[in-house]
Amino acid sequence: MLSVTAAGGDRMEPGFASESDRVTERLRNEILDGTRAPGSKLVERDLAAEMGVSRVPVRDALRALGNEGLVTPRPRSWSVVREFTASDVADLNEVRIAFEGLTFRLAAQRRTREGLARLREVLDTELRAARAGDAVSARRAAADFHEVVTALSANELLGELERALRSRMRWLLGQHDDLEAMAAEHELLYEAIVDRDVERVERLVLAHLATGTREAARRHPAEESASAG
């Protein structure tokens, strides 16, 4: 069943989502999926006409997405889709490295049967999408995989941190092109979590983080290297 992610990061069933939440979710997905390119203008009046809503939910959505770090406000009534720099990517990767080592280790120690079933479901979705070349679905499922692992860690503070960083981390986790390789790494991590093999999980997480860092750096080379080229 599809869910809607509210501006604060909590998920709600579509029937309970406000108009502001629906506009926020649509814009968030379009930014994370690359439909709205970095630097694109987001003008309240134009978005309201495009989506068939008043300017109020659009204004709420742009404010929420600004708080999530996905858009940059401009004077008056417009914003732009954030352009993440190489420095931004490096900062996100540093946080991810510190965050995921603990998260995956706790997930391996505390996973439940229900949690594993959900993780398998998400992984299967990612594998199918990757094999079909459906980049949007594969990347969404890859990010879902990490969020489910955080839930398996059963640490409320980690959950709060994940929700606060969710949009930016989902963006970072989408910075890869080898869909099948990423899905294969997730499958190895899943098997290690099932086995409660903490040592193997830690080893695989290090390799997975290295892959993610390399892929993000390839898409966002350091400014010095870019200018030298």
Side-chain angles (χ1 to χ4, degrees):
M1 180 179 294
L2 294 176
S3 60
V4 176
T5 306
D10 295 325
R11 295 195 170 188
M12 302 179 295
E13 295 303 324
F16 296 97
S18 69
E19 194 167 64
S20 294
D21 292 330
R22 290 194 295 272
V23 172
T24 302
E25 177 73 355
R26 175 173 167 179
L27 286 174
R28 183 191 294 112
N29 284 337
E30 289 175 350
I31 293 169
L32 294 176
D33 295 341
T35 304
R36 294 188 187 271
S40 299
K41 291 182 68 173
L42 301 169
V43 181
E44 283 183 17
R45 179 186 62 252
D46 296 342
L47 291 171
E50 176 186 336
M51 298 183 182
V53 299
S54 72
R55 292 174 63 166
V56 173
V58 173
R59 186 176 305 127
D60 291 343
L62 293 178
R63 185 182 302 113
L65 295 173
N67 291 336
E68 293 177 26
L70 292 183
V71 306
T72 304
R74 290 288 185 260
R76 299 186 184 275
S77 58
W78 63 287
S79 301
V80 296
V81 177
R82 180 174 179 175
E83 299 185 75
F84 285 89
T85 66
S87 178
D88 292 329
V89 173
D91 288 346
L92 286 169
N93 273 318
E94 287 177 351
V95 172
R96 183 187 172 196
I97 288 168
F99 181 81
E100 289 201 343
L102 175 59
T103 301
F104 274 84
R105 183 168 69 251
L106 291 177
Q109 295 169 339
R110 300 174 178 177
R111 92 290 189 280
T112 62
R113 182 174 301 179
E114 294 79 8
L116 288 176
R118 174 59 182 148
L119 193 61
R120 183 73 245 184
E121 179 185 355
V122 168
L123 176 58
D124 286 343
T125 298
E126 182 185 1
L127 287 165
R128 284 193 301 271
R131 290 163 184 160
D134 182 350
V136 169
S137 296
R139 290 181 182 129
R140 285 188 182 186
D144 288 342
F145 182 90
H146 286 261
E147 289 176 17
V148 175
V149 169
T150 301
L152 289 180
S153 74
N155 183 298
E156 184 55 37
L157 183 55
L158 280 176
E160 289 179 16
L161 292 171
E162 184 274 320
R163 288 188 291 274
L165 295 170
R166 177 172 292 173
S167 289
R168 277 169 285 187
M169 283 300 169
R170 287 188 77 90
W171 177 88
L172 180 66
L173 292 166
Q175 302 304 299
H176 66 272
D177 295 312
D178 195 336
L179 306 175
E180 292 194 52
M182 193 62 63
E185 290 191 8
H186 283 165
E187 187 156 39
L188 291 174
L189 282 162
Y190 168 81
E191 292 168 354
I193 291 171
V194 169
D195 293 340
R196 279 203 170 101
D197 190 333
V198 175
E199 184 177 338
R200 178 156 46 111
V201 164
E202 290 176 338
R203 194 165 59 245
L204 290 170
V205 166
L206 288 176
H208 188 54
L209 288 168
T211 298
T213 300
R214 184 171 60 250
E215 286 291 298
R218 185 177 59 79
R219 282 197 177 195
H220 304 272
E223 284 82 357
E224 294 81 7
S225 298
S227 61

